[in-house]
Amino acid sequence: MKLSTKSRYASRALIELGLKYGEGPVKLKDISAIQDISLKYLEQVMFPLRIGGYVKTLKGSQGGYILARHPNSITLLEIVECVEGPIAPVDCVDRPGFCGRSEQCVTRDAWIGLKNVIRSELGNTTLDELVAKQRQIDG
Amino acid sequence: MKLSTKSRYASRALIELGLKYGEGPVKLKDISAIQDISLKYLEQVMFPLRIGGYVKTLKGSQGGYILARHPNSITLLEIVECVEGPIAPVDCVDRPGFCGRSEQCVTRDAWIGLKNVIRSELGNTTLDELVAKQRQIDG
DNA sequence: CCTATATTCTACTAAATATATAGGATATCT
DNA sequence: AGATATCCTATATATTTAGTAGAATATAGG
């Protein structure tokens, strides 16, 4: 039941973008330094977020990343599922055919319930809120 | 965000024990056959459940496993945490020192919230309920 | 146009984790 | 005594995770 570093890094990177929302592009190099994340790895983490339409990029000098959507419309759930794939504590949750006994399996129902509360919790946390809290901490 | 097979196998094995609760020991060989789980692997999965006091064993001929506690006092959370260790979506949740920025990290608060809903959901599901549902399905 | 800069794309790698398999030791019932 | 079932330790394989590396592409500014 662990999130990978991709989810953690993506969340922290998008918070940095949220802090600078409306102020032009932010370089990964800066995020990498501030958040202490390998630049090269961060590049890979950001890739699906661009494909998913959460960030836009500007190449070349003075380029960087900006949020493609308002922070209040982006949830943690979207970030996590974008970089990590659909959340399902067990494979049979999304693919009943994964296990031949899915039809008669009572644990599967429990795993489905678990998936739902996880998605609900993450879906109710917006980037906006996280950025606001971060501003409070930074003072 | 995946549970390992240990959690899945342990849950299904304990349901089998719950179905036979009060009827004497159940052999892993039988559970292995019914649930289609490798016997040798199942032995390893059951080990922490014995140490944790969830099952008792009887060695030798006519031996096997029995629940050490009433099914209504065992939750999915206990089973999962027993075989898989404490549930925490991110290491810093239980060990703030894991990451130097824990004190100023807003995502950590989110991961703590996530941990809480996961534990709450699993903690509210008892083995009793699962066994009852299974009996309904089996007819 | 040229250069520095930043992203983009592809490939590769080391380490950790998950998922078992194997074999013998130990205990117990008949 | 023999069959049976758990107990314990070691080993193996596959997958995933978490990164590294390097060249290609695009852009701003001089």
Side-chain angles (χ1 to χ4, degrees):
Chain A
M1 280 315 261
K2 285 273 189 297
L3 289 167
S4 75
T5 53
K6 287 186 182 180
S7 291
R8 304 198 285 115
Y9 292 172
S11 306
R12 283 154 55 187
L14 290 204
I15 287 173
E16 291 297 324
L17 295 188
L19 287 169
K20 301 281 174 53
Y21 188 59
E23 302 177 18
V26 180
K27 287 174 285 189
L28 285 196
K29 195 179 171 186
D30 293 341
I31 296 177
S32 163
I34 294 172
Q35 291 286 338
D36 194 30
I37 301 169
S38 151
L39 172 60
K40 284 304 216 174
Y41 191 41
L42 190 53
E43 287 175 356
Q44 293 180 43
V45 170
M46 298 303 286
F47 179 79
L49 293 171
R50 182 171 59 85
I51 302 301
Y54 298 102
V55 300
K56 286 180 183 169
T57 57
L58 291 138
K59 292 175 79 170
S61 187
Q62 308 307 315
Y65 284 72
I66 58 171
L67 290 180
R69 292 162 43 180
H70 193 281
N72 68 15
S73 79
I74 301 177
T75 67
L76 257 190
L77 176 64
E78 288 175 295
I79 299 172
V80 169
E81 291 204 322
C82 181
V83 299
E84 199 144 352
I87 284 182
V90 171
D91 284 324
C92 65
V93 165
D94 287 333
R95 297 161 41 213
F98 174 77
C99 175
R101 45 178 32 81
S102 288
E103 304 305 321
Q104 304 88 30
C105 184
V106 295
T107 57
R108 179 165 180 264
D109 295 338
W111 308 142
I112 290 174
L114 180 58
K115 169 189 168 174
N116 289 339
V117 300
I118 292 173
R119 290 181 44 96
S120 169
E121 172 74 8
L122 292 179
N124 281 327
T125 306
T126 66
L127 189 54
D128 223 17
E129 294 165 13
L130 297 175
V131 170
K133 283 187 188 176
Q134 190 66 59
R135 285 211 173 94
Q136 271 195 320
I137 289 174
D138 293 344
Chain B
M1 283 310 264
K2 284 273 190 298
L3 288 168
S4 75
T5 53
K6 288 185 182 182
S7 290
R8 305 198 286 113
Y9 293 171
S11 305
R12 283 154 54 187
L14 289 204
I15 287 173
E16 291 298 324
L17 295 187
L19 288 169
K20 302 279 174 55
Y21 188 60
E23 302 177 18
V26 180
K27 288 174 285 189
L28 286 195
K29 195 178 170 187
D30 292 341
I31 296 177
S32 163
I34 296 172
Q35 289 286 340
D36 195 29
I37 302 170
S38 153
L39 172 60
K40 284 305 216 174
Y41 191 40
L42 189 54
E43 287 176 357
Q44 294 182 45
V45 171
M46 298 304 285
F47 179 78
L49 292 171
R50 182 171 60 83
I51 303 300
Y54 297 102
V55 300
K56 285 180 183 169
T57 57
L58 291 139
K59 292 174 80 170
S61 185
Q62 307 307 314
Y65 284 72
I66 58 172
L67 289 180
R69 292 162 44 180
H70 194 282
N72 69 14
S73 79
I74 302 177
T75 67
L76 257 190
L77 176 64
E78 289 176 295
I79 300 171
V80 168
E81 291 204 322
C82 180
V83 299
E84 199 145 352
I87 284 181
V90 171
D91 284 323
C92 66
V93 165
D94 287 334
R95 295 163 40 213
F98 174 77
C99 175
R101 44 176 35 77
S102 289
E103 304 305 320
Q104 303 88 31
C105 184
V106 296
T107 58
R108 178 165 180 264
D109 296 338
W111 308 141
I112 290 175
L114 179 57
K115 168 190 169 175
N116 289 339
V117 300
I118 291 173
R119 291 182 42 110
S120 169
E121 173 73 9
L122 292 179
N124 281 326
T125 306
T126 66
L127 188 55
D128 223 18
E129 294 165 14
L130 296 175
V131 170
K133 283 187 188 175
Q134 190 66 59
R135 284 212 174 94
Q136 272 196 320
I137 290 173
D138 292 345

